[in-house]
Every structure is written in C-alpha cells, then in structure tokens.
Amino acid sequence: MLSFALQCFTIHWHQSVAYIPELYYYIFYWRLTGQGRKMKNTILLILILPIVLFAATFETLPVEKPALHAKRMNDQVIVDGVLDEDVWQQAIEYNYFTQRDPFEGKKPSEETIVQLVYDDEALYIGARMYDSAPDSIVKRLGRRDQPLQADRFYFYIDPYHDKRSGYYFGMNAAGTFYDGTIYNDAIFDATWDGVWEGNTNIDEKGWSVEMRIPFSQLRFRHQEHAIWAGNCARIIDRKNEASYVTFTPKDESGFVSRFVDLTGIESIRPQNTLEVMPFVRSKAAFTHPEAANPFNDGSKISPGSGVDLKYRMGSNLVLDMTMNPDFGQVEVDPAVVNLSAFETYFPEKRPFFIEGASIFGFGNGGTNEHWGFSFSQPTFFYSRRIGRTPQRDLPDNDYADVPDNTNIIGAAKLTGKLARNWNVGSIHAVTSREYADLDINGVRSHLEAEPQTYYGIFRAQKEIDEAKYGIGFLGTVVNRQFKDIALLNDVNKEAYVFGVDGWSFLDDEREWVVSSWFGASHIKGSRERMLDVQQSVRHYFQRPDARSYSIDSSATTMRGTAGRILLNKEKGNVIFNTAIGYVGPSFDVNDLGYMNRTDEVNGHVLGGYRWTEPNAFARTVYLRGSAYYAKDADGNVTDKGLWHNGYFLFNNYYTLSYTFYLEDNTFDPALTRGGPLMINPKYWSNYIYLSSDSRKSMIFGASTAYVSSAHDAWYFSLGTFAEWKARPNLLLRFEPSMLWHSTYSQWVDDFEDPLATVTYGNRYVYASIWRKQFSAGLRMNWTFTPKLSLQVFAQPLVSIADYSNFKEFAKPSTYEFNDLTDVEYDESDNTYEVDPDGDGPAESFSFDNPDFDLKSLRGNAVLRWEYLPGSTMYLVWTQQRSEDEYLGSLDFKRSFERILSPKADNIFMLKLSYWLNI
C-alpha cells in the first residue's frame, strides 16, 4: 500500500492523475477494514464512488501559487486610480490568477496584474485589469456595499494568518466601495465599514484601481518580519467570469484557509488608536392624534446629541462605545399581517449592533450547511431586544403617551482575539427607565412602563489545530431594576442563558465534520409573571392533555435546556447532512434571544448531488431531498414529512429553483392556543422561483407558492419583480405580490364553559376565512458619487379577510368541529353573540367581528453624504399612513383605492457626525 502511494506521488503530475482513483480505493479499503477485515463490495463501492467522481475533475484544481509580496516604499502615492507613480514601476508584479467561473481551473480570458507596497502608515494595492474591449467594461455606481452587476476587483487579507478570519476591500470600475470581514473561513460580513481610500480609472488598456488601507484599520500581531495571508479576485461582468489568486473549488468549502502567504511587511506595529465620532441631530414629528389628545398636539421637535467611540487596544482587541445613540437613519420595517400565535421576526438594522455581529453567532461553527426542517432553532442573541418597545400592559385608558422604544443610555462592545486563538466578544448595554402618561376620565397618571435594564452578552470561541477542532461558549445576562412593583408581573426580573458549541472534523481531508451545541436557560420573576410565561405561546404548560409537564403556580423561576448535533459532508459532489436536536419544554431565551416554540425532539436526513461543471444543459445544478420527523415530550408527532429541492443555473444565466413539501398528519398545540392537541391535517406545498440574467440592465423574476390541505384549505401567492438599471448610477426595483388564502379553521377565541367537558371546560371557536392581500416593495437607489447617495423605499399593503361559518373544536386529538348555528351579528357594535347549545344550559358568549380591512403605506427616503472620510450627514424623511376600518362589507378594489385616504404621519430628521482619529 505505502509503495503504491509513493509511486503515485513521484510520477509526473499529469501522469499521476490516472492513479488517483485507484489510490483512493486502496486508502479507504485499508482504513475501513483495519487489519484485513473484509467488507462487502457494495458498501465499499458506495463509499468510494464520490471520491472517484471527484478525482475525475482533479486536474482542474489550481496548483500552489507563489506568495504575494509587499515592498516598502519611501515615495508618496496619490490615490487617484492611475498607476503612474515611480513606486509602481519598481514593485513586484503578481499575475497568477485562475478562473473559478465559468470554467473552473482555466486561464483567465484577460490579464490582471497586482502590486503591493507599504509605508509606516498603510498598505497600498495597485491593480491593472487589462481588457481587450475597454468600451465593454461594465461600470455601475452604487452606495457602499450595494450588490451591483459590474466589473470588480477585491483584495482579501488575513493579518493574523489564522486561516479562519480576515478582511476584504473592493471597488468596481465606477468607484463603488466594498469592504467587510470574513469569519468561520468562508462567511462574509459586509456590516464593517473601514476608513480607507480608493479610486479607479478607465483607459484604453482596461481599468485600474488604487487602494490605501491604513494599518490602524486592521488587527494583527507585532512581528519584525510578518507573514500574513492574502488573495485577490477579479470579476468581468459581461463574461460572468471570476478569477482568483487562489479559489475554492465548487464542490469544496473553505476560503481564508486557502490564501497564499503575504510577505515583505516588516517593522509594522499595531497602533492604539482612538476614533471619536460625536453627532448632533434634530427630529421633527408631525402626526395626527385624536383632537382631544392632551399629550400630543400633532407636532413634536426633539433635538439630541451623542457620541460613538472606537478604541483599538493594541493588536488584538477593539472597544466600541456609544452614548445616547440615535438610529433614525435606518430603513423602516415592512408592514406585515400576522395571523399566527408567534412573534414576527425583524432583522437588525442598527449600525452599532450589526457591525461585527458575526462573532456572536452561536451553534453554526465548522460546517457550511445548517438545515433545520421545522426545528425551532433558538437565537441566543437577538439584539433587537435592546431598546425594544416598553412591555407593560397598560390599564384601560382614554389617552396614552408611551415611548416608541426604550432609550439606550450607553452601550459598549469589545471584540477581537486573545492568546491561543481565542475569538472573544462582549456587549454591555443599559437602557433607561421609561414612563407612560395616561388620561382616564380626565385624570392624569404617570406610571413606569419599562424598568431600567442591563443587558450583557459574552462570547468566546477557540480554534484548535488550524481550526480542525473548535469549542466555544456564549452567555447572556438580563437584569432589571424596578421602581413600580406592579411592573414585576409584566416582565422577568432576571434572565440568564449559557451555551457551549463546537465542531470536529473527522478526517484529515476535512470532508466530514460534526457540529453541536448545548444551552441552558434560567429566568426569574414574580409568581404572576412566571405563570404568564408558562402559559405563553412558547410553552403552553396549561395544555389540559399534556402528561410531561403542567403549570406550577408557586414557581418564581424556570429552567430549561436545549441542544443539537449535526453531521455534514463538506466536500465533493455528493451532498449529505443529518442532525438531531431537542428544545426542552422549559427552555426560554426570549429576554435577549428569539424563539417561537419549545417541547420538541427533531431529526432529519438530507442527501443530494451537485453538478458544478458547465455542460450543454446548465452551468450549475443542485438536487436535494430530505426526510424529517419530530415529536414532543409526550411522544406526539409534531412534524413528519418529505422535502425536495432543485436549483438550476442555465447557460443563458437564467436561474430556476423549486421546493416541494409533503407533510403527514401531525399534532400542533398552537392551533388551540394552549388548549388540547388538534391534528394539523396533511398537506403538500410547492414553491417555484425563476429569474432572468442578472447581468442585464433589465431583470425580471417571478415566484409562486401553493399549499393544499384537507377541507379545501389552500394558500396561493404570486410575486414578481422587475429591476431596471436605468443609468450606471440609478437603480429602480418594483416587487408586487398577491396572495389568496382560504382555510377551514382559523382561530378566533376561546371561552370558559364548565359544560364543555369534552374539551376540558373551554370552548375553542374557529371560523372559515377568505383572505386576499396585495403588497409591493418599491426601491430607488440613486448614487451621485461614491460618497453621496439617495435611497428611497416605499411599501403599500392592502389586506382584507372575511370570517364566516363559525364553529367550535369538537374533540381533542382530532380535526373535528361542531358548527355554531345560533350566531347573531350586532351591527351597532360590530360583535357576534353565540349561544352554543340553543335552549340548553350553556351560557352564551360574544366576540368582536374578526373581519379586517387593513390599508397601509409606509416608506422613507435617506440622503447620505460622507463629506469627509468617516464623517457622515443623513437627511431622512419617513412617512406612514394606515387604517384598519371595517365598513360593513369587504371590497378589495375599494380598499386599494383608499390606500392614500388615511392621514400621513411624517418624521423628518437631520443627523451630522464627525470622525476624529486621535
């Protein structure tokens, strides 16, 4: 065996390729059989087949490249994009690029030359992109980090040389800036905005770029003769060609770990720099409250100021601080209609929290696939909890003045690396005590709506043996200080979460990896608060037919655990992924995290195949399938189904993807909002998405989803989009969508009735529902210069729903209902009166008409000007108008025509920040 391997590796490169399949055969046979143990040929063939298929394309993999080299300079470089300084004539030229797309491993169609020089303050990158047709260079101008179809150049750098993390800096031919960080070897985070310079120039030879990256923006260790790592990429848009110094094969993973060495940088020390960014802002709100509202006359002007600081503590750590921050420049959240019991998840948009957020990611290290299949994966840190809307349940009142959000007095974030490859991060934030003013029959009151709160997040992760193994932990702390004791019944007093995660590659080739995590939670509060938590949508401990848990009315704390383990195949054309996880009934992270439900044990197996080499049919094809299964603590099946997905990138660069689900009958406690189990009937669904060539100036796409289940329940949506690059610096996008929804069993309400013994003393009322909805997203990105841009977003929404055929749940663990025949509608107060048993002894009950007719139009415009490096001015206009008024009948056309009828609330804001580097 050993002699055969040595023979293969000593033969000429091209000759040895022919031996690779046989070599892998012997290696795997020897490993899997140990000391001569036999195995069946069929099992061996299954294990060997993916490797043989991979070996067939082995000759296209790039050979080892020489190192990038930076040369010290004494002259000055004017960063204008023109490589005319003497230093560029003397610097070493690097042109060892290889295609990844469209023809993996081939020589690029156009030559690219990169040069690196440096002085005591910064690293300079000069790149010449030769082009045989300079008039065909695609140049589109956009705001920073905006994804655009254009010719681009990127420089990647790993100053730690840890083969796991780094930075990227890029520019397109029109001068648009791109930058961000890389973590976990191949995950890109565009939220980091460094302070650096760059410029481009187009001439008769092609185009060129110059970049100046201050060392103060990078984290690195002091070494007299540093060895960093780097990479470069060039994108030729009209050819859909991407070439790299070193690239990741399409059937493999990892990116930073493949970088070539970057040498020549000597006697550069990390700098302890302090960046200070004070800001002032003025905000004016013009709204339309009720005429007699004593707290708001329709106009409110609120000036403010604050400061952001960034302190680079030597080579390893960065401290970010903010005092009295203002996030008025971020885009508004879209309007949604949520008919489920679960909270709507909105992504974070505030700069302080999104920059560097990747270090606080938990449970996904080491693997490039994280399939869930209905698993309620908890998010341990959901930063939108900090500064949230006050949570107190207010008493009935005539008028109320409640803050839109809690004010963040101050926050600090520390991120970086410690010795022995520990990645660390922590966030500390304090929010102020907020008050609500109430008017009840002319009597004013002032009560605490949100207590002063401390939030703490702690994260550390260690990479071992060049990240072949990893282990980490994350902890969160929430502590609230109350003045009004009554508020203790509305929010938890304390909350603690601790988690451990890690990964381990199972082979030296890093083809198979196991990733896992485990978490524990502990919350504390009053008995009334813990009773509410136990009965919340996440837990439903009050469920009358539950056997594994029940309500503890004396509890003042609640503890729970959760965990998951996953096996993934990282390389090759054959795709494989499997996982099993659980979330205990008492697990709860929602004080500083996000989760929808608990009480499940979930598992899946996924397999598939990918074709990554272009052929006569397509350039890339993925086909995948999965089976998944879940139970609760009582053994009830809560998920069981089959899934199939396909993805095609055709030769004309159109894309098609589709997904099919087939789900069996399952049980869902959310259907009765904590009542007895109800069957969720079997259904099938499909989703199809098609889009045109994204390189063109006009792009079209469409998507459709269809779900069909028992009792004629169905859901159909149709969405389209059109994107027009009207000019190189102007992009318009329109995304309209429609949905139609009909179901037999939409939740209405529940009512106590001791006579309803079959359903444990409650009547659970449902209705058939017919819903129709239109929404659209309209965007305009107009970039005047790389530093000055206007961004406009608007979203109209019309949603109507008609509830009819009221019924009550008949029998636990079924999908059976009894029609409510004695139902009277009172038009004067828009309510329904129900007598559930006619002349029988059961008491009647009533509920508000659940029909709705929602009209909403919201949007904002943001003018952003970086008038000096790192210094920015924002001018923001936000408008919102909405109305949910039932007019006695539902008419979609009339509702659509009335979308502009509600009065508009307008908010204007001017914010000015100034960057100081001390």
Side-chain angles (χ1 to χ4, degrees):
M1 172 66 199
L2 180 60
S3 62
F4 179 78
L6 290 173
Q7 179 185 5
C8 285
F9 284 106
T10 54
I11 294 176
H12 188 269
W13 167 260
H14 294 289
Q15 294 176 327
S16 65
V17 171
Y19 288 90
I20 290 173
E22 188 175 355
L23 172 61
Y24 272 110
Y25 178 93
Y26 280 107
I27 290 173
F28 268 71
Y29 186 84
W30 176 73
R31 288 186 177 181
L32 294 169
T33 56
Q35 300 298 320
R37 292 193 303 270
K38 295 182 180 180
M39 81 184 329
K40 294 182 179 180
N41 291 335
T42 54
I43 298 177
L44 181 59
L45 179 61
I46 293 173
L47 294 172
I48 298 299
L49 182 59
I51 301 162
V52 175
L53 293 170
F54 172 75
T57 60
F58 194 82
E59 63 180 349
T60 66
L61 298 182
V63 297
E64 185 176 350
K65 302 290 184 68
L68 290 162
H69 185 82
K71 182 178 179 179
R72 179 177 280 276
M73 68 170 189
N74 298 315
D75 300 331
Q76 183 181 7
V77 172
I78 300 174
V79 184
D80 57 4
V82 182
L83 305 174
D84 56 356
E85 290 87 359
D86 290 340
V87 65
W88 298 124
Q89 316 310 316
Q90 303 168 11
I92 297 173
E93 295 184 349
Y94 193 100
N95 63 351
Y96 298 93
F97 281 75
T98 306
Q99 275 194 57
R100 185 181 188 271
D101 293 300
F103 304 110
E104 184 175 318
K106 302 300 182 182
K107 184 179 178 180
S109 64
E110 307 284 356
E111 184 180 16
T112 303
I113 294 177
V114 177
Q115 297 171 285
L116 306 176
V117 298
Y118 70 99
D119 57 22
D120 289 336
E121 302 296 329
L123 176 67
Y124 296 80
I125 298 98
R128 158 62 70 180
M129 278 64 70
Y130 290 98
D131 200 306
S132 56
D135 58 338
S136 299
I137 293 171
V138 181
K139 45 189 183 297
R140 292 192 175 102
L141 187 61
R143 70 184 188 280
R144 189 174 193 154
D145 293 324
Q146 180 184 352
L148 295 170
Q149 295 298 130
D151 285 31
R152 307 184 296 282
F153 173 81
Y154 293 95
F155 175 71
Y156 308 90
I157 187 169
D158 172 14
Y160 276 120
H161 205 274
D162 62 4
K163 300 184 178 182
R164 295 287 296 174
S165 62
Y167 304 83
Y168 67 90
F169 304 86
M171 298 193 73
N172 71 16
T176 300
F177 283 69
Y178 300 91
D179 58 1
T181 59
I182 313 172
Y183 68 100
N184 199 24
D185 197 8
I187 301 179
F188 291 76
D189 183 354
T191 59
W192 177 79
D193 287 336
V195 181
W196 56 283
E197 298 176 65
N199 222 321
T200 61
N201 181 66
I202 299 176
D203 56 27
E204 70 281 357
K205 296 180 182 179
W207 67 289
S208 56
V209 62
E210 281 182 315
M211 301 179 185
R212 181 184 184 273
I213 303 171
F215 290 122
S216 64
Q217 299 297 299
L218 306 176
R219 305 180 194 178
F220 57 93
R221 302 182 184 92
H222 170 62
Q223 295 173 301
E224 285 300 322
H225 304 283
I227 298 180
W228 295 355
N231 195 4
C232 304
R234 178 187 179 181
I235 312 299
I236 305 176
D237 183 72
R238 69 182 186 276
K239 301 179 181 182
N240 210 50
E241 180 177 314
S243 300
Y244 294 78
V245 167
T246 177
F247 68 89
T248 305
K250 297 173 186 176
D251 58 355
E252 297 191 24
S253 61
F255 184 64
V256 180
S257 57
R258 299 174 182 272
F259 286 7
V260 301
D261 287 345
L262 170 56
T263 62
I265 298 177
E266 300 180 351
S267 303
I268 298 298
R269 292 181 176 274
Q271 303 175 15
N272 289 359
T273 60
L274 175 63
E275 299 177 19
V276 183
M277 189 182 297
F279 68 84
V280 293
R281 60 105 172 139
S282 181
K283 182 178 180 181
F286 301 97
T287 59
H288 296 84
E290 295 179 70
N293 191 326
F295 305 117
N296 189 349
D297 63 0
S299 64
K300 183 181 294 186
I301 298 177
S302 53
S305 62
V307 63
D308 297 328
L309 302 97
K310 184 186 293 287
Y311 180 58
R312 289 181 170 81
M313 306 167 64
S315 63
N316 298 325
L317 298 173
V318 174
L319 176 65
D320 293 279
M321 293 175 286
T322 183
M323 286 175 276
N324 194 31
D326 178 89
F327 303 116
Q329 74 273 18
V330 301
E331 185 177 286
V332 295
D333 290 320
V336 296
V337 177
N338 184 354
L339 298 182
S340 74
F342 302 111
E343 173 189 10
T344 300
Y345 181 94
F346 290 108
E348 180 62 85
K349 298 179 180 180
R350 298 170 294 179
F352 177 83
F353 293 106
I354 61 177
E355 182 177 324
S358 57
I359 197 170
F360 299 97
F362 178 81
N364 293 328
T367 178
N368 58 15
E369 298 284 0
H370 309 285
W371 297 96
F373 296 103
S374 301
F375 179 66
S376 183
Q377 175 83 21
T379 300
F380 279 48
F381 174 43
Y382 180 42
S383 57
R384 290 193 64 145
R385 301 296 186 205
I386 303 174
R388 68 192 303 173
T389 302
Q391 301 171 75
R392 181 166 190 164
D393 290 331
L394 300 178
D396 292 338
N397 59 81
D398 299 315
Y399 304 98
D401 184 22
V402 185
D404 294 330
N405 55 271
T406 54
N407 181 54
I408 301 174
I409 300 173
K413 176 171 59 180
L414 183 68
T415 57
K417 282 183 176 285
L418 297 180
R420 301 182 181 273
N421 284 333
W422 278 99
N423 300 300
V424 297
S426 67
I427 295 177
H428 307 268
V430 177
T431 58
S432 63
R433 196 181 312 277
E434 301 292 346
Y435 291 88
D437 291 315
L438 304 181
D439 185 293
I440 304 174
N441 297 324
V443 179
R444 303 278 183 89
S445 61
H446 186 70
L447 74 164
E448 187 178 358
E450 181 77 14
Q452 181 174 305
T453 306
Y454 164 75
Y455 298 92
I457 305 95
F458 308 87
R459 175 63 164 150
Q461 189 177 69
K462 180 177 176 57
E463 297 160 350
I464 305 167
D465 192 11
E466 296 185 344
K468 185 176 182 181
Y469 312 99
I471 187 170
F473 68 85
L474 181 141
T476 67
V477 176
V478 178
N479 191 285
R480 298 182 173 96
Q481 301 297 321
F482 299 83
K483 281 189 175 180
D484 187 346
I485 297 177
L487 189 53
L488 279 164
N489 297 333
D490 290 327
V491 291
N492 298 332
K493 187 177 189 303
E494 301 172 8
Y496 306 93
V497 175
F498 182 80
V500 180
D501 64 342
W503 71 87
S504 174
F505 283 91
L506 303 181
D507 58 320
D508 293 337
E509 293 78 18
R510 304 195 181 194
E511 183 174 0
W512 293 89
V513 63
V514 172
S515 176
S516 62
W517 62 266
F518 173 81
S521 67
H522 173 94
I523 59 176
K524 181 178 180 180
S526 67
R527 286 186 296 178
E528 290 79 3
R529 173 58 184 167
M530 289 298 100
L531 192 61
D532 285 345
V533 172
Q534 292 176 73
Q535 298 178 89
S536 68
V537 64
R538 299 184 299 279
H539 303 288
Y540 286 142
F541 279 14
Q542 72 272 30
R543 212 186 82 211
D545 53 353
R547 301 188 304 273
S548 300
Y549 48 80
S550 60
I551 286 179
D552 181 357
S553 59
S554 64
T556 57
T557 63
M558 191 165 78
R559 302 180 183 91
T561 60
R564 197 164 190 247
I565 185 169
L566 178 147
L567 172 66
N568 188 64
K569 185 176 183 291
E570 298 280 293
K571 298 181 179 181
N573 297 91
V574 174
I575 302 168
F576 183 81
N577 180 280
T578 186
I580 186 169
Y582 81 98
V583 181
S586 301
F587 188 70
D588 197 304
V589 300
N590 264 31
D591 282 85
L592 195 45
Y594 178 91
M595 60 185 299
N596 271 336
R597 63 181 186 184
T598 58
D599 186 22
E600 70 168 325
V601 178
N602 172 291
H604 76 265
V605 177
L606 177 145
Y609 196 86
R610 55 188 163 200
W611 292 262
T612 57
E613 293 298 322
N615 54 47
F617 174 66
R619 296 180 178 274
T620 304
V621 177
Y622 282 67
L623 293 176
R624 292 171 287 213
S626 175
Y628 55 92
Y629 188 82
K631 284 188 173 184
D632 64 14
D634 290 340
N636 301 301
V637 178
T638 56
D639 269 303
K640 181 172 63 174
L642 300 174
W643 170 90
H644 171 62
N645 166 258
Y647 169 82
F648 301 84
L649 174 61
F650 298 106
N651 288 326
N652 61 356
Y653 293 100
Y654 278 55
T655 59
L656 170 68
S657 65
Y658 64 85
T659 301
F660 293 100
Y661 276 96
L662 181 61
E663 179 103 9
D664 201 359
N665 288 334
T666 56
F667 291 100
D668 189 348
L671 294 179
T672 57
R673 307 298 200 263
L677 284 178
M678 179 189 292
I679 285 181
N680 191 15
K682 63 178 63 178
Y683 70 88
W684 70 272
S685 67
N686 66 75
Y687 172 81
I688 302 173
Y689 173 83
L690 176 68
S691 68
S692 64
D693 186 351
S694 61
R695 300 172 301 167
K696 305 299 184 181
S697 60
M698 182 68 79
I699 308 170
F700 298 94
S703 64
T704 181
Y706 182 74
V707 182
S708 178
S709 71
H711 296 275
D712 295 325
W714 55 271
Y715 171 99
F716 177 70
S717 69
L718 177 63
T720 62
F721 77 86
E723 183 175 287
W724 180 31
K725 305 175 182 75
R727 299 179 61 184
N729 66 333
L730 177 61
L731 182 144
L732 304 171
R733 186 178 177 92
F734 180 48
E735 299 178 82
S737 65
M738 284 288 300
L739 73 80
W740 298 263
H741 180 204
S742 175
T743 185
Y744 180 73
S745 56
Q746 176 62 46
W747 165 265
V748 175
D749 208 340
D750 67 89
F751 303 90
E752 289 188 17
D753 186 345
L755 299 179
T757 56
V758 176
T759 50
Y760 301 96
N762 277 277
R763 296 187 183 275
Y764 301 91
V765 179
Y766 294 80
S768 298
I769 182 176
W770 163 252
R771 182 162 67 107
K772 189 175 182 180
Q773 178 173 300
F774 168 82
S775 66
L778 300 95
R779 295 182 183 275
M780 182 189 75
N781 294 327
W782 194 354
T783 308
F784 308 104
T785 74
K787 306 290 186 180
L788 178 63
S789 64
L790 175 64
Q791 193 174 353
V792 179
F793 167 77
Q795 186 216 16
L797 172 72
V798 176
S799 184
I800 65 173
D802 180 21
Y803 288 70
S804 62
N805 187 23
F806 294 101
K807 57 186 74 74
E808 62 176 336
F809 186 39
K811 184 179 179 182
S813 299
T814 69
Y815 190 70
E816 298 177 7
F817 299 88
N818 296 323
D819 289 337
L820 295 172
T821 56
D822 194 351
V823 179
E824 295 184 3
Y825 174 61
D826 186 344
E827 189 174 351
S828 63
D829 59 1
N830 197 26
T831 61
Y832 284 97
E833 185 78 20
V834 180
D835 188 341
D837 61 350
D839 296 330
E843 293 187 4
S844 61
F845 54 86
S846 64
F847 54 86
D848 293 335
N849 182 3
D851 293 349
F852 60 82
D853 184 352
L854 174 64
K855 299 164 284 292
S856 169
L857 177 61
R858 60 173 59 187
N860 68 345
V862 180
L863 180 69
R864 183 184 187 276
W865 177 32
E866 189 175 346
Y867 59 93
L868 289 172
S871 302
T872 310
M873 184 197 77
Y874 290 95
L875 182 60
V876 183
W877 170 39
T878 300
Q879 184 183 99
Q880 178 172 339
R881 57 181 80 207
S882 64
E883 179 183 76
D884 185 5
E885 182 181 6
Y886 179 70
L887 301 176
S889 64
L890 295 173
D891 186 331
F892 189 81
K893 180 181 177 183
R894 181 187 62 188
S895 298
F896 190 84
E897 292 172 346
R898 286 176 52 84
I899 197 168
L900 293 175
S901 61
K903 295 179 180 179
D905 293 337
N906 291 282
I907 299 174
F908 300 92
M909 190 195 75
L910 175 65
K911 179 178 178 181
L912 187 71
S913 65
Y914 185 75
W915 180 76
L916 296 167
N917 191 17
I918 301 175

